Structure formats: C-alpha cells, structure tokens
Amino acid sequence: QIPVVANGEIWTVADELRCREVSGCATLMLGRGMVADPGLARAIRAADAGRPGSDTVAWSDLLAHVAAFWQLVCEDLEPRQRAGRLKQWLNLLRRRFPEAEAAYQHVRTMTDQRAITAWVEALGAGD
C-alpha cells in the first residue's frame, strides 16, 4: 500500500534491471546515473518496452547542453566555483562517453573563464 522508490548506484540499464529484481520496486530514482548519462531514463524506457539499445543519446546531442550548462554556471556561481562545476559534470560523463574523457583532460587544468568559454564554443562547433 505504501509506494516505495528504489535508488542508489543505478548507472546503466543493467543496474536498473538488477535493482528492480532485488528490491521488487517498480519505481526508481535516478541521480548521478542521469548526470553521467543524460539518456539513461530513455534507455531504461526503451529496454522496458522490449527495445534495448534503441534510444540512446550521442555525445554530439549533448554539446548544446554542455554550452547551456556552462552559461548557467557563469551566470549563477561565483567565479571561483565555475570551472570546477563544469569539470565535475565532464568527469561523470566520462563513465558513458569516451569523448568526454578527451574533453575532461583538455579542461581539467583550466581556470580562466574566458578560455573555458572559448573552448566550450569550439566544442559545440566541432573544433
């Protein structure tokens, strides 16, 4: 009678299946798994509908979101916090996207907002 939501360490569709099997819950909460793979919920829905692997998000689909995220970070956070927040997200994205590894390695030592902005703009342009 009481709705129960399972969460914790759901990074992939396989994790989702294991969680449902172990917990018996029909409802899940996705946290860091969604940050690391913004298409995780779509992939889970596709797998639940019998179409595993049919609804994935490509790295190129995320580039506009990375730029929008950086813009929000620059508007909302103190200058000393901005680069770190972008690096945190890129670090998590490395779990799912090989391209994020190269992006993270490129930006990990950067601190200058103008340089990072130029890099983000070039990333979206495909440079």
Side-chain angles (χ1 to χ4, degrees), residues 68-88:
F69 178 75
W70 177 244
Q71 182 177 354
L72 288 172
V73 162
C74 289
E75 292 170 4
D76 295 341
L77 298 179
E78 295 294 321
R80 62 182 172 76
Q81 300 170 317
R82 294 172 184 165
R85 198 58 58 93
L86 178 63
K87 293 171 193 180
Q88 279 181 317

Side-chain angles (χ1 to χ4, degrees), residues 48-94:
D48 289 348
R51 300 178 284 106
S54 67
D55 207 0
T56 61
V57 172
W59 174 250
S60 59
D61 297 332
L62 292 179
L63 298 180
H65 299 287
V66 170
F69 178 75
W70 177 244
Q71 182 177 354
L72 288 172
V73 162
C74 289
E75 292 170 4
D76 295 341
L77 298 179
E78 295 294 321
R80 62 182 172 76
Q81 300 170 317
R82 294 172 184 165
R85 198 58 58 93
L86 178 63
K87 293 171 193 180
Q88 279 181 317
W89 190 27
L90 290 173
N91 185 42
L92 281 168
L93 288 172
R94 295 188 309 169

